[in-house]
Every structure is written in C-alpha cells, then in structure tokens.
Amino acid sequence: MTLNGHQLIGQRSFAAKGEAIHAINPTTGERLTPGYPGANAGDVEDACRLAGQAFDAYRATTPEERALFLETIAEEIEALGETLTQRGMQETGLPEARLNGERGRTCGQLKLFAKVLRRGEWQDVRVDPALPERTPLPRADLRQRQIPLGPVAVFGASNFPLAFSVAGGDTASALAAGCPVVVKGHSAHPGTSELVGQAVARAARRCQMPEGVFSLLFGPGNEVGQALVKHPEIQAVGFTGSRSGGTALLTLAQSRPQPIPVYAEMSSINPVILMPAALEARAELLGEAFVGSLNMGAGQFCTNPGLVLAVKGAALERFKQAAIPAIQASPVQTMLTPGIHKAYAQGVASLSEQPGITCLASGESDSPIASPCQTQLFSTQASDFLANEAMQAEVFGASSLIIECEDLAQLKQVCSALEGQLTATLHLDEADHTATCHLLPVLERRAGRILVNGWPTGVEVCDAMVHGGPWPATSDSRTTSVGTAAIHRFLRPVCYQDLPDVLLPPELKHAPAEGISRLVDGEREA
Amino acid sequence: MTLNGHQLIGQRSFAAKGEAIHAINPTTGERLTPGYPGANAGDVEDACRLAGQAFDAYRATTPEERALFLETIAEEIEALGETLTQRGMQETGLPEARLNGERGRTCGQLKLFAKVLRRGEWQDVRVDPALPERTPLPRADLRQRQIPLGPVAVFGASNFPLAFSVAGGDTASALAAGCPVVVKGHSAHPGTSELVGQAVARAARRCQMPEGVFSLLFGPGNEVGQALVKHPEIQAVGFTGSRSGGTALLTLAQSRPQPIPVYAEMSSINPVILMPAALEARAELLGEAFVGSLNMGAGQFCTNPGLVLAVKGAALERFKQAAIPAIQASPVQTMLTPGIHKAYAQGVASLSEQPGITCLASGESDSPIASPCQTQLFSTQASDFLANEAMQAEVFGASSLIIECEDLAQLKQVCSALEGQLTATLHLDEADHTATCHLLPVLERRAGRILVNGWPTGVEVCDAMVHGGPWPATSDSRTTSVGTAAIHRFLRPVCYQDLPDVLLPPELKHAPAEGISRLVDGEREA
C-alpha cells in the first residue's frame, strides 16, 4: 500500500511519461510526494481500447458476479484503513472523522449497488408473449431488458475524494450496470486516488474480472479528460465539478461523430426558504443552525445553503441577529485546493461588488492556513436580486446570501426566477402549510430534492434519493448521481422479438430464474 | 369537420398570417386546398406561453383524468372516420387500408397510455422511511416520484401521418406524462393534421383540460420549428425524420442557455442477416418474403430492410434468383412527397455510383405517378462495404443492398462496422444457433430491437417494444419512441425529504391510494 505515482491501465501499474502533478497540502501549502506523471494520448488510447475489449465479457458476467465484485472493492477499500485517511487528510485538508465517514459511505454505496443487482428490478424486464391468434394481425413474442451502454469515463470530484471520486457513486453505478470504467483522477488528491485505484484493481483480480474493466489515469490540465471524452470506445461520462468544466465536457461529447450522454453535476445555490410562522417561532434557532450548515466542510458541498429567502420584518431581523455573531465567530477553515480558495475569494469579491449587496458579517480571517476559507454572509433586497442574474452565481465555499422579500408573493417570484437547483429547503410550521402549497409547484420545477425543516447538506445514499435537478444543477435532470436510480444512467433498453428460448438472455427466458420481477402482458409478476 | 387552413393555439382556431403551405397529392401532383398560412414568431410565443401557463394545472390533474383525456382523444379521432382517411389518402398517397389501420393503431396507442397511467408504475415511487434511531446518523424520511419535464415540442413525421404525427406516440406519451404539447404539423399533410388537431382540441374541451395543453402550428421552412425548440418554455423535443433534421434540432436544443433533451428518431438501414442453415433451407422463400417487406409502403418505414448480409455461395445465389424477378415485377408505388421522391432518386443514384456496387434488379418504372418509387436491389462485396462509409447512408424508400461476405467471420466484421440501428434481423435455423451466439453481442450493441425469422417492418405498440437504438438511429439510445416506456422520456425524479404528510403528493403519502406499486425500504409493495 505504498504510493508510487503510478497510473493503472487494467492490472498494469506504471509510471507515465507526461508532466507530473503533485498534490498540495492546502493547510500548509506543502507540495506532497510522489509526483504523478501525466498520461499521454497513447495511455488514454490503451485504457479505452482495453475497456472496449473488456466490455462484452464484463457485461456477460452475472448480476451476482458483479455484486461480489462491488463488495470486494468495498472490502479492499476498508482494508486501506488509516493509510487512506491520512493521505486523504494531507491532500484535502478535510478532518479525520469526515474522511472516515466518507470511506464508510463509499463502501456502503458499493454494497448498496450489490443489493440493487441482486434485487433485479434494474433490468426492467418486460414480456409481451406472442398472440398468434390475434386479428387482424398476430403479435410476435416481445421481450425487453436493459443492457449497459459501454465503457464510461468518470471524473473524480475535488470535494469528495472518496464518495465522488475513483470508486464513488459514478464508478459504482457504472460497474453495477455492466460498464467498464476509466477514471480521470482529480489532480487535487492523486495519492488518495492511487490507493483506491489499487484497491479496485485488486478486487478485479480477486474476482477474475476481465482485464480492462477498470483503469485510472492522471494528467495536468484538460488534455487527458478531453481525450477520454472524445474516444470512440467511451459511451458515457460521469462528472462532478464546476459549471464551466461540466459544460465544456458536454459540448465536447456532443461534438463527437457519435454524441454520448454526459452526467455532469455542476452548480447549485440551494435556496433555503424561511416561512413566516416557522421564522416567527424560532428565528434564533434557525439562524444558528443555518450557520452550522453553511460552515460544514468549509461550505464545499454541492448542497451548501447559498441562498436564504424570507419575508422582511422583525422575525427576519432576529434570524440575522442570531446568524451574525455565529458567522463572526466562525473559525477559518482549510479549503480543498489553492485553486478553490482563489475561486472562492474571487466569487466573494464579485458578489460583494453587486449593486444592492450588503455584507452582514464575515468570519475570522487571521490564520496561517495556506488555502483559507473565511465565512461570509450577505444580504440584498429581492428587487435587486431579481434584476441581477450575477447574484445567482454559485460561490463554492462558506458564503451565503439572504434575500429580503416584501411579501410571500415576491418570495414566490424570486423562486420562479431561480435557475435549476439540486435542493430547495423549506422551514415551516403548520400555519405555513397553505402558503407552502402555493410554493411547492414552483420548487418542484426547479429542484431535484425538496426538504422540510432540515438542511440540504447531507445526502443519503438510498433508493429514494435524488441528487440531481434541472440545468445548471446538472446536465440531465432525468437522472440522479446519488442513490440506486443512478444505475439507470448507464443502461439502455433492447427488445428481443421471437428469439428461440435458447438464444434469450437468462432473465428473458420463458422460465426465468426465480426472483426476477417482470412485467408480463401488462401485469407485474414478482 | 371542415378544413379551414387554421392553426390551433389552445382552443383558438385561426388563420395565421405567414406564407402558406399547401399539401401536394403525390399521386397526381395536384395542389390541395385549403392553404395553411404559416405561423409567425408571435404565434409560437403565444402557443409556448400558453403551454407554460397550462403546465402546473395540467400536471396537477390525476392520472385518471389524464387517462380519460387520452381516451377521449381516441374517441374523437375515431369519430373522424372516412373524412380523415380520405384526406390522408389525398395528402400522402397511402392506401385506404393502411390509413384505417394506422388510425386504429393511433387510437390504440392513446388508450394504451391511459392503461399505463392507471397502472401507476410509471411514477416509480420509492419510499425510504425515516430511521430516527439509526447510528451514527438518523435517516430522514425520503420519498421519490416522477414529475413531467414541462411543455414538449412535437414534430410530426411524414411517413406516419397519424401514428407519428399530431396525436401520435410522442404526443400521447408526453400528454400521459403530464406535459402540454405544441405540435409543429408536417407540411406534407396539413389537412390530416388539422383534423386530428381539432379532435385533440375537442377532447381537451370536453375533459376540461387547462387551456393551452395542446396547440398545433404550421409553417413553411424551418423557422417555426426552430423557434419552438429555442423557446424557454419548451423542455423537451420529440422528432421523427431525417438525420440532418434531427441533428439540426439537437444542435439547436444544446445551444440554448438551458439545454433540453431531444428525442430524434432519425436513420436506420436495418440489417437482415441470413444465417447459413436458414438460407440453405429456404433461400427462395426468404428472397420472396424479403421483397415483400422491402416494398411495403414503398419502403418508407424507419425499419425498412435496407441491408441484407449473407455468406456468398449457392444458397445466396438462390436467394438472389428469387428476389430478382420479384423486384422486377414490383409495381411503381407513390412516395409520400415530391421531396421524398427526389431524395430517393438521389440516394439511389449516389449508391449506384459507389465503387463495387452492382444493380441486381430494378422494379417497374413506367407510371403516371407524380412522385414515383421504383424498387431497387443492389449488391456489393463485404470488403467494398467495409471500405466505404457512404454505403451505410439510409436511402429512404424501397431500395436495399446485399452484402456478400466471404465467411461468418467477415459477416461479423461487417456487423461490427455498422452504425447504430433501430433493428437487426436474423433468419436462422437450429443449426445456426452457435454462430448466432457469437453475433448477438455485436448486434445488441448496435440495435434497439433484435428479431428472428421475421421482418423488421411492423412495430408493435406494447410494453416490451423498443423503437430506438444507438446513434444515428436515434439521438438518445436510452429511450424508445414506441411502446409504453416512451413515457419516461418526459419525466424526471423529485425527492421529498421530511415533508408533512398533508404536503406530500397523493402517491407519496404515508397511506397512499390503493394499487400504487412502491419500492419501500428496498422491498417492492404491490
């Protein structure tokens, strides 16, 4: 479990020849070793060709075999233990408890997709038996199942070095679907990525998976990622990151001779709406809890509460008066990378220059941290917000903006003017129910998840989760990148007409294995 | 039920002000009345804005209400009877029996989506109940359902004036999902379109659907269609037509500030593979049946068998000797429009100029038909086909190309080189099973439907159908435009976290209406 600065093409671990990337410890500014020489065009070609060669053999594995593979990956990652946590802390500045929790979440996610595979519903089996006597025309025997799209390119995210990275949700759901995966490791945490990549490769070997089912490449700049997205073997892309990054990959994928789907989870400011009765009843509690949510992980969450909406008045003043000292007492935190720190500082500066913006409070600033995050809270009037699209730009980090509305009608107007979001949060009491009923249809059209009396940070990995939403929250609102429905991103339906039973895939045979749910002639059969 | 050359914006039927389109009788070349003045930018704006205004009210209708709406549309279309058939025949040159059959199919399709709505599975309800005692962190109550995307633009197809047009599969599945629809009627059959549009509008009025749930616009050229796709209220596009048309709409949709999904069903040459034992056993029967399928509807089907693959030898010669006289005896048929006739003639000319192409036989040519189709059969060697991408271009009409392969290995190589297809057909006997097993994985990766011992023309509307496939067969291989799974194109998931029961939508409540299938804590509940 030593780090050697290697890439992985299938089982082949090797030092590439390109310009090296080095992780930076964002707390100390220290450059970490080893360096990771970047892949060249030939490496990308090799990894993609191998993934293409592995595809038919990999998709021919049984769901049970893939379930065991995913569980073995989880086992191998768990076995990395402290080594993984320590390297993760050095590379990301995230605290130990968070990384241990994220490791658990990552392994839990892999195991959950193993359960999905065993449950079988992901195949969406549909059978319309032949009706040879039907008039005026007989019906053929028609059977449908889902098959995997093909090799998938996955881009690791900076802010979840485990759960949205090398063996994160995109990789887990793509492997579950039967797609080989080529990961472009994030340059901010190559050591963490190499450790996890080695774990996946060991699991592939232990489970005798086809060579090339998994590869891990590094590279400075955008060349490796662009080459991956353009490669003809790649059939889908998973990405979590900035709006500009996601949009660039989407454009690239669509300009291919054969366009492919890109699942980019990009930007969201996650409005939190304080309904009047709830605000009146517990303004102070809400103010303090809000700052707690805002500061989590230095605000470096896709679901960070970047916008607070409320009707102006005494209750909102109480909320602000509770939030302000909590903001001012917020200690400096470490951001993930020097680049993210710089973008945060620019975002804060740009927001504070907008007409009508007031800075309500700033957190502590005195710190030796190399890539610091100083918490910021702004406020503005709804009319100013409505007149200025720039105020909707995501500031990635612990910054938030309170929108003061004249009344609930204007608050609804602000909601209607919002871009697509991952989440929309409501704090409400029973007396707010009627007003909420008018807001819900607006929020449903703008968000993938609507939550009540909680905070958007914290994304459960389960069947019902949606971590998605309309553009620009994601590039494809029909999907989720967290939760079991994520598997559907990497599948497509195929219909088999009048195939002899012996040629049908197992789940479509006239007498299928037990326990596969099928829709037969319009009726659900367990 | 008189034709008045009107557009429909909601219930408002009116004469637009733009340049008029006129249908042409493709048999006689006669220009049909009335003319249909084209919509202008203001009309597009009005239709889209009205659709946007209708959206929340329409999606708030119950599935049962929408089911009744779809059934009422079917009733109104059936009531058009002979009027519809006669106008359709004049505008398309299609025979009476075909149009009556297509009317039945169209109405059956609407009724099938009513069944889907009542069955409830389309909502994909998932419930993960709260686990307040879970450690280290409790789980919130999480509930997921599907909601409609928003107003949909539907482009009528030329070759199915009913089943893929104003109230065809795209409109039926979008309306079922809860999306208002704005149709751009095909310029080849405006009268047929107006009749069906009036029927939909009458059904909307009878069912008291929100004003704007359906509109129908006409226009010469591409302006109306482009304005529709660019309009911010439009959230998805359904299209059946040419590869260039679909690609143009896709590019336009992706260049919007908010990109939207385009479901374009574009081009397919539908390979038919004659496996050795089957060919040996019944070469003559296959040759005759092939020509029958090729000639159906003058070959103007997306699933027309445009490619035949076989290993060369005596059996293939017998197939050709049976096909050739059948081709030569093929009477001239009427094509749908002068434009399609012209494109067919150009496609045939271009194919016949490719190096290594032999024209095996041509059908009858002497005819007074204004837009005639002369059946054509070509052959070439696999090596020539593999060296020349131009041979894969779809020739829309009754033209097909036999690829003569040296052996099964080369036949597989040809299959691997094919672009994405709607269908792949195999004729096989038991002795072909082993060889077929090697071909199936190749075909699965290239086609949406694989069929055995039949012909690809004829697409059943049912649960298991896939009328889709990898690019360029469609712009989104994850979907189908025929069959009940088509509804998923117009839906996206939303997750509700910790909502009070009273605020939850009906299907997500703690005690839901009976009969809704839900995935609760990973277990399927009927």
Side-chain angles (χ1 to χ4, degrees), chain A residues 115-127:
Chain A
K115 268 191 211 164
V116 169
L117 285 174
R118 292 190 177 110
R119 201 160 67 201
E121 289 198 359
W122 65 276
Q123 294 176 98
D124 191 17
V125 172
R126 296 153 174 252
V127 177

PDB file of all heavy atoms in Angstrom, chain A residues 115-127:
ATOM      1  N   LYS A 115     -26.707  -4.882  -3.715  1.00  0.00           N
ATOM      2  CA  LYS A 115     -28.109  -5.238  -3.394  1.00  0.00           C
ATOM      3  C   LYS A 115     -29.019  -4.971  -4.579  1.00  0.00           C
ATOM      4  O   LYS A 115     -29.930  -5.758  -4.873  1.00  0.00           O
ATOM      5  CB  LYS A 115     -28.599  -4.384  -2.206  1.00  0.00           C
ATOM      6  CG  LYS A 115     -28.386  -5.030  -0.848  1.00  0.00           C
ATOM      7  CD  LYS A 115     -29.153  -4.245   0.217  1.00  0.00           C
ATOM      8  CE  LYS A 115     -28.433  -4.334   1.548  1.00  0.00           C
ATOM      9  NZ  LYS A 115     -28.859  -3.331   2.522  1.00  0.00           N
ATOM     10  N   VAL A 116     -28.816  -3.839  -5.228  1.00  0.00           N
ATOM     11  CA  VAL A 116     -29.643  -3.498  -6.395  1.00  0.00           C
ATOM     12  C   VAL A 116     -29.514  -4.579  -7.457  1.00  0.00           C
ATOM     13  O   VAL A 116     -30.508  -5.015  -8.052  1.00  0.00           O
ATOM     14  CB  VAL A 116     -29.209  -2.129  -6.968  1.00  0.00           C
ATOM     15  CG1 VAL A 116     -29.854  -1.875  -8.327  1.00  0.00           C
ATOM     16  CG2 VAL A 116     -29.565  -1.014  -5.998  1.00  0.00           C
ATOM     17  N   LEU A 117     -28.283  -5.036  -7.681  1.00  0.00           N
ATOM     18  CA  LEU A 117     -28.069  -6.073  -8.699  1.00  0.00           C
ATOM     19  C   LEU A 117     -28.821  -7.343  -8.331  1.00  0.00           C
ATOM     20  O   LEU A 117     -29.422  -7.989  -9.181  1.00  0.00           O
ATOM     21  CB  LEU A 117     -26.569  -6.357  -8.839  1.00  0.00           C
ATOM     22  CG  LEU A 117     -25.777  -5.287  -9.589  1.00  0.00           C
ATOM     23  CD1 LEU A 117     -24.282  -5.586  -9.541  1.00  0.00           C
ATOM     24  CD2 LEU A 117     -26.242  -5.190 -11.046  1.00  0.00           C
ATOM     25  N   ARG A 118     -28.792  -7.682  -7.045  1.00  0.00           N
ATOM     26  CA  ARG A 118     -29.481  -8.917  -6.624  1.00  0.00           C
ATOM     27  C   ARG A 118     -30.996  -8.761  -6.668  1.00  0.00           C
ATOM     28  O   ARG A 118     -31.718  -9.715  -6.897  1.00  0.00           O
ATOM     29  CB  ARG A 118     -29.013  -9.296  -5.221  1.00  0.00           C
ATOM     30  CG  ARG A 118     -27.553  -9.727  -5.196  1.00  0.00           C
ATOM     31  CD  ARG A 118     -27.138 -10.341  -3.866  1.00  0.00           C
ATOM     32  NE  ARG A 118     -25.751 -10.788  -3.944  1.00  0.00           N
ATOM     33  CZ  ARG A 118     -24.735 -10.197  -3.296  1.00  0.00           C
ATOM     34  NH1 ARG A 118     -24.955  -9.162  -2.496  1.00  0.00           N
ATOM     35  NH2 ARG A 118     -23.509 -10.655  -3.435  1.00  0.00           N
ATOM     36  N   ARG A 119     -31.471  -7.530  -6.450  1.00  0.00           N
ATOM     37  CA  ARG A 119     -32.920  -7.295  -6.447  1.00  0.00           C
ATOM     38  C   ARG A 119     -33.485  -7.469  -7.856  1.00  0.00           C
ATOM     39  O   ARG A 119     -34.631  -7.883  -8.024  1.00  0.00           O
ATOM     40  CB  ARG A 119     -33.176  -5.873  -5.932  1.00  0.00           C
ATOM     41  CG  ARG A 119     -34.543  -5.627  -5.406  1.00  0.00           C
ATOM     42  CD  ARG A 119     -34.556  -4.401  -4.485  1.00  0.00           C
ATOM     43  NE  ARG A 119     -34.273  -3.158  -5.212  1.00  0.00           N
ATOM     44  CZ  ARG A 119     -33.829  -2.042  -4.640  1.00  0.00           C
ATOM     45  NH1 ARG A 119     -33.614  -2.009  -3.338  1.00  0.00           N
ATOM     46  NH2 ARG A 119     -33.602  -0.965  -5.365  1.00  0.00           N
ATOM     47  N   GLY A 120     -32.709  -7.103  -8.872  1.00  0.00           N
ATOM     48  CA  GLY A 120     -33.098  -7.420 -10.249  1.00  0.00           C
ATOM     49  C   GLY A 120     -33.983  -6.409 -10.945  1.00  0.00           C
ATOM     50  O   GLY A 120     -34.051  -6.403 -12.166  1.00  0.00           O
ATOM     51  N   GLU A 121     -34.647  -5.533 -10.209  1.00  0.00           N
ATOM     52  CA  GLU A 121     -35.578  -4.589 -10.855  1.00  0.00           C
ATOM     53  C   GLU A 121     -34.883  -3.663 -11.848  1.00  0.00           C
ATOM     54  O   GLU A 121     -35.517  -3.136 -12.757  1.00  0.00           O
ATOM     55  CB  GLU A 121     -36.302  -3.746  -9.807  1.00  0.00           C
ATOM     56  CG  GLU A 121     -37.324  -4.520  -9.012  1.00  0.00           C
ATOM     57  CD  GLU A 121     -38.302  -3.585  -8.306  1.00  0.00           C
ATOM     58  OE1 GLU A 121     -38.171  -2.363  -8.430  1.00  0.00           O
ATOM     59  OE2 GLU A 121     -39.198  -4.109  -7.632  1.00  0.00           O
ATOM     60  N   TRP A 122     -33.558  -3.433 -11.629  1.00  0.00           N
ATOM     61  CA  TRP A 122     -32.811  -2.544 -12.519  1.00  0.00           C
ATOM     62  C   TRP A 122     -32.909  -2.988 -13.976  1.00  0.00           C
ATOM     63  O   TRP A 122     -32.734  -2.185 -14.879  1.00  0.00           O
ATOM     64  CB  TRP A 122     -31.338  -2.476 -12.086  1.00  0.00           C
ATOM     65  CG  TRP A 122     -30.630  -3.796 -12.235  1.00  0.00           C
ATOM     66  CD1 TRP A 122     -30.626  -4.827 -11.338  1.00  0.00           C
ATOM     67  CD2 TRP A 122     -29.854  -4.235 -13.349  1.00  0.00           C
ATOM     68  NE1 TRP A 122     -29.889  -5.878 -11.818  1.00  0.00           N
ATOM     69  CE2 TRP A 122     -29.405  -5.546 -13.055  1.00  0.00           C
ATOM     70  CE3 TRP A 122     -29.490  -3.657 -14.565  1.00  0.00           C
ATOM     71  CZ2 TRP A 122     -28.611  -6.280 -13.933  1.00  0.00           C
ATOM     72  CZ3 TRP A 122     -28.704  -4.399 -15.436  1.00  0.00           C
ATOM     73  CH2 TRP A 122     -28.273  -5.694 -15.110  1.00  0.00           C
ATOM     74  N   GLN A 123     -33.198  -4.262 -14.210  1.00  0.00           N
ATOM     75  CA  GLN A 123     -33.245  -4.760 -15.587  1.00  0.00           C
ATOM     76  C   GLN A 123     -34.536  -4.388 -16.302  1.00  0.00           C
ATOM     77  O   GLN A 123     -34.622  -4.519 -17.508  1.00  0.00           O
ATOM     78  CB  GLN A 123     -33.073  -6.283 -15.590  1.00  0.00           C
ATOM     79  CG  GLN A 123     -31.708  -6.702 -15.110  1.00  0.00           C
ATOM     80  CD  GLN A 123     -31.576  -8.214 -15.012  1.00  0.00           C
ATOM     81  OE1 GLN A 123     -31.049  -8.865 -15.890  1.00  0.00           O
ATOM     82  NE2 GLN A 123     -32.072  -8.775 -13.929  1.00  0.00           N
ATOM     83  N   ASP A 124     -35.555  -3.963 -15.536  1.00  0.00           N
ATOM     84  CA  ASP A 124     -36.844  -3.551 -16.105  1.00  0.00           C
ATOM     85  C   ASP A 124     -37.330  -4.545 -17.164  1.00  0.00           C
ATOM     86  O   ASP A 124     -37.608  -4.170 -18.303  1.00  0.00           O
ATOM     87  CB  ASP A 124     -36.728  -2.134 -16.698  1.00  0.00           C
ATOM     88  CG  ASP A 124     -38.090  -1.557 -17.057  1.00  0.00           C
ATOM     89  OD1 ASP A 124     -39.117  -2.093 -16.573  1.00  0.00           O
ATOM     90  OD2 ASP A 124     -38.144  -0.581 -17.836  1.00  0.00           O
ATOM     91  N   VAL A 125     -37.420  -5.804 -16.766  1.00  0.00           N
ATOM     92  CA  VAL A 125     -37.801  -6.861 -17.715  1.00  0.00           C
ATOM     93  C   VAL A 125     -39.281  -6.740 -18.080  1.00  0.00           C
ATOM     94  O   VAL A 125     -40.139  -6.655 -17.206  1.00  0.00           O
ATOM     95  CB  VAL A 125     -37.502  -8.253 -17.120  1.00  0.00           C
ATOM     96  CG1 VAL A 125     -38.080  -9.347 -18.008  1.00  0.00           C
ATOM     97  CG2 VAL A 125     -35.999  -8.437 -16.962  1.00  0.00           C
ATOM     98  N   ARG A 126     -39.554  -6.722 -19.352  1.00  0.00           N
ATOM     99  CA  ARG A 126     -40.921  -6.626 -19.869  1.00  0.00           C
ATOM    100  C   ARG A 126     -41.133  -7.744 -20.887  1.00  0.00           C
ATOM    101  O   ARG A 126     -40.310  -7.926 -21.782  1.00  0.00           O
ATOM    102  CB  ARG A 126     -41.123  -5.281 -20.572  1.00  0.00           C
ATOM    103  CG  ARG A 126     -40.993  -4.077 -19.648  1.00  0.00           C
ATOM    104  CD  ARG A 126     -40.558  -2.826 -20.393  1.00  0.00           C
ATOM    105  NE  ARG A 126     -40.584  -1.677 -19.511  1.00  0.00           N
ATOM    106  CZ  ARG A 126     -41.491  -0.705 -19.588  1.00  0.00           C
ATOM    107  NH1 ARG A 126     -42.418  -0.732 -20.535  1.00  0.00           N
ATOM    108  NH2 ARG A 126     -41.462   0.298 -18.740  1.00  0.00           N
ATOM    109  N   VAL A 127     -42.220  -8.446 -20.765  1.00  0.00           N
ATOM    110  CA  VAL A 127     -42.514  -9.560 -21.667  1.00  0.00           C
ATOM    111  C   VAL A 127     -43.927  -9.401 -22.218  1.00  0.00           C
ATOM    112  O   VAL A 127     -44.882  -9.276 -21.449  1.00  0.00           O
ATOM    113  CB  VAL A 127     -42.400 -10.915 -20.921  1.00  0.00           C
ATOM    114  CG1 VAL A 127     -42.779 -12.063 -21.856  1.00  0.00           C
ATOM    115  CG2 VAL A 127     -40.989 -11.109 -20.376  1.00  0.00           C
TER     116      VAL A 127
END
